[in-house]
Amino acid sequence: MRNQHLKDLSYGLMSYVKEWHTYFVNGYKFHTQAWSEGKKMINSGVHVKGLTEGIADDFYGVIQHIYELEYNTT
């Protein structure tokens, strides 16, 4: 199965990309910053734990765009 995923990736992206203002994942709902403006709840901030040169580091940001990418498959 893993080899099939790698093979699919090698075919590249489809010729179109969808853009969304809202995204649901693992029970969480995220919005782009523009969509959140004027709303009571803001869900456009993100936090990712990572490593920089082997040292634990946190990265923070604001969602500007949400893109859905589709890959060619056999």
Side-chain angles (χ1 to χ4, degrees):
M1 185 69 156
R2 207 178 261 186
N3 289 335
Q4 184 61 44
H5 291 306
L6 185 57
K7 188 176 180 181
D8 291 345
L9 285 173
S10 73
Y11 290 127
L13 289 169
M14 299 290 279
S15 60
Y16 59 90
V17 174
K18 294 179 188 174
E19 185 171 8
W20 302 94
H21 56 77
T22 304
Y23 185 72
F24 297 91
V25 62
N26 298 330
Y28 295 96
K29 181 178 179 182
F30 296 94
H31 300 136
T32 59
Q33 183 178 29
W35 182 259
S36 294
E37 288 180 17
K39 305 263 190 312
K40 290 181 180 178
M41 183 178 286
I42 298 173
N43 289 330
S44 59
V46 292
H47 167 243
V48 177
K49 290 183 176 278
L51 292 174
T52 302
E53 297 180 6
I55 300 171
D57 202 356
D58 294 340
F59 299 92
Y60 299 90
V62 177
I63 300 171
Q64 299 296 326
H65 301 278
I66 300 171
Y67 297 115
E68 180 180 350
L69 307 175
E70 290 190 44
Y71 288 86
N72 291 307
T73 59
T74 57

